[in-house]
Amino acid sequence: MSVFLILLAYLLGSAPMGYLVVKLVKGDDIRKYGSGNIGATNVGRVMGKKWAIAVGIFDITKGGLALLIARVLGVSSPQLLSFLGVVAVLGHNFPVWLKFKGGKGVATSFGVIFMFYPLASILGGVVWYCVMRVSRYVSLASMISLASTPIWLKLFGADISYIVASSFLAFLTIVRHHANIRRLLAGTEHKVGERAT
């Protein structure tokens, strides 16, 4: 059962919706545009806001779905659920379909954390929105908001496994944003509303 759930979590997480949307609608490879990422932010730069929202919702859902299926099948162990959540995000970041070159896992991480403790994910989303509105940098908002989720989980008394998993996901997100961090420091990072060329 555990092996099946781990494989399922990876495959669900690895579904590259951002890549597929641009390929099917525009007939092009999103990885040639903007940041080269397959996530919702880059989809928005290439195809507009409505497509970014659609991809973002899908990426959030696929992370949570892996844990939902596990719970429906009777899994209640926070340790296993935490591991499955991490695997789902790793699937998004390193999808076998795209030679293990995927996105940054922000939306998928929020979907996973929602299944850990919904309010922690919602508050993380509030942090994301506030930072994004003030700075107009999605990358900065993504890193700060995910870094806040272990704090919310700790404050709400969540299981230590969820806190550790969310801390790892926040760390992974920061590592995956290394190029964005360099651009932020150089003042060349894309802001909200700027389209890819």
Side-chain angles (χ1 to χ4, degrees):
M1 174 68 80
S2 295
V3 173
F4 165 75
L5 289 173
I6 291 169
L7 180 60
L8 180 64
Y10 175 81
L11 291 176
L12 285 172
S14 68
M17 184 54 64
Y19 172 83
L20 292 174
V21 162
V22 176
K23 195 70 172 177
L24 293 173
V25 176
K26 194 172 181 177
D28 211 342
D29 188 339
I30 190 175
R31 294 171 296 180
K32 298 190 302 184
Y33 296 91
S35 65
N37 187 33
I38 66 168
T41 301
N42 209 35
V43 170
R45 295 192 186 106
V46 176
M47 298 190 59
K49 185 176 180 179
K50 68 177 183 179
W51 289 107
I53 292 172
V55 170
I57 291 173
F58 179 87
D59 285 347
I60 290 171
T61 302
K62 71 182 183 182
L65 184 60
L67 274 70
L68 179 61
I69 292 173
R71 285 181 169 168
V72 168
L73 293 176
V75 175
S76 59
S77 165
Q79 292 82 7
L80 180 54
L81 290 169
S82 296
F83 184 73
L84 292 173
V86 169
V87 169
V89 176
L90 291 175
H92 176 84
N93 289 355
F94 308 103
V96 63
W97 326 109
L98 300 178
K99 299 181 180 179
F100 304 102
K101 295 179 181 180
K104 296 184 174 74
V106 176
T108 308
S109 292
F110 271 113
V112 166
I113 294 167
F114 184 87
M115 294 302 296
F116 289 167
Y117 202 107
L119 187 55
S121 181
I122 292 169
L123 289 174
V126 171
V127 172
W128 181 92
Y129 180 78
C130 291
V131 175
M132 185 275 295
R133 290 291 293 180
V134 171
S135 70
R136 294 183 61 216
Y137 289 120
V138 171
S139 58
L140 184 63
S142 298
M143 290 185 282
I144 292 176
S145 60
L146 272 176
S148 77
T149 57
I151 299 172
W152 301 125
L153 288 168
K154 177 66 175 178
L155 290 174
F156 296 140
D159 190 275
I160 186 64
S161 298
Y162 296 146
I163 297 172
V164 171
S166 64
S167 298
F168 174 78
L169 294 177
F171 172 75
L172 181 62
T173 293
I174 293 171
V175 171
R176 297 286 289 175
H177 278 84
H178 61 89
N180 302 83
I181 293 172
R182 287 198 296 269
R183 289 194 295 269
L184 284 166
L185 293 174
T188 58
E189 176 71 327
H190 292 293
K191 289 188 175 183
V192 173
E194 294 178 350
R195 295 182 68 88
T197 57

